[in-house]
Amino acid sequence: MQNYVFLLNTDKTCLDLIHPARARELQFLGKASMFRQFPYTLILHHQVLNPQTKEYSIKIDPGSKWSGFAIQCGDEILFRMELKHRGSLISSGLQKRAGFRKGRRGRNLRYRAKRFNRQKPEGWLAPSLKHRLLTIQTWIKKFMCYCPVTAIEIEQVRFDMQKIVNPEINGTEYQQGSLLGYEVREYLLEKWERESVKCWSGGRTKFNRCSQGLEKSHSIDAACVGESGASIKLRTNQPLIVACTGHGNRQARRVNASGFPAVAKAKAVFTHVKAGDIVKVLLSKDRKNVLAGTYTARVKTPTIKGCEVLITGNRVTVSTMKNVTFIHRNDGYSYGW
């Protein structure tokens, strides 16, 4: 079962999520058109007056490498997504930059003294951690643009003191232990002081998932967050997989293996397509190990009249844009299933 489809009114206001079969019917009858490919969103051709929408909640299971998202309506999970962060790439890039700077200090070049007395500004976060925070915030804003969200539930990891004292605790003993009532107090604090956002413990998430016999995954963990995750119905079995790719870097000049500036080449400006765009390519004949057919691929390098795309692990050069159909503009993410 696929994810449910987001639906927008003609004025781009949010409507209820619809079943994929209903989405295909609206498109076949010419009543709606595709507004966005990832996540798949339709927009109606005629305005719906005074629409009555249901209440939806975004549930998030944040992690260091992967984060899970789920959209719930009642006890039904209608949308699931798993987001892969690029914190390791950010960290390795900073280490590489530091290595180049250290190497330049040891050569017969202008001396640049180390600065040990610099202080981090208030509220400073490590770049990899800040990336995770901003990325999750970005996707929350995206979902709120496509879905009438009324609540946000996030798993907040806490130490499980009951497990430390008694590793064999389970069932009713786990629910009515020394922390009984803490979730209620936390809920009241969130409700009256920090409106629309609820924080829940990771222990509750695991208990909800295990008690329902669900498999371990980031999006299912997100669906099991909080009290509403105690009894859920999964209406989708295939989460959308999103990987953070970024928009390049701010490096002014590329360097060689020794850290010296590489020879600068004139960079051509292409307007028909750019790296990171997702396109649909029709190949009429075999090219190396690539079979003929229609492929959805990500643009690697634009060329003068076409582009290079990656298909089944091979870089395929498309000489013309005649058989290339644009699907999704580069937004710093790659999508898959």
Side-chain angles (χ1 to χ4, degrees), residues 14 16 30 49 113 149 153 169 175 179 190 203 240 245 248 260 279 288 336:
C14 304
D16 289 333
L49 302 178
V149 176
E153 301 188 34
I169 190 172
Q175 292 178 311
L179 295 180
E190 298 294 338
L240 176 65
T245 58
F260 289 97
V279 296
K288 297 182 180 180

Side-chain angles (χ1 to χ4, degrees), residues 9-75:
N9 216 339
T10 308
D11 59 357
K12 298 183 181 180
T13 55
C14 304
L15 297 177
D16 289 333
L17 275 71
I18 59 176
H19 192 278
R22 176 58 177 165
R24 291 191 293 269
E25 181 183 8
L26 291 176
Q27 288 184 287
F28 178 77
L29 297 176
K31 296 182 179 180
S33 300
M34 185 183 71
F35 180 78
R36 188 179 179 88
Q37 180 73 24
F38 302 106
Y40 200 75
T41 309
L42 296 181
I43 185 170
L44 294 176
H45 293 169
H46 299 285
Q47 179 76 11
V48 176
L49 302 178
N50 301 323
Q52 300 295 326
T53 59
K54 303 176 183 177
E55 294 185 352
Y56 297 84
S57 61
I58 300 177
K59 312 182 76 174
I60 306 170
D61 174 33
S64 60
K65 296 182 179 179
W66 289 84
S67 292
F69 292 80
I71 295 181
Q72 183 173 353
C73 180
D75 60 349

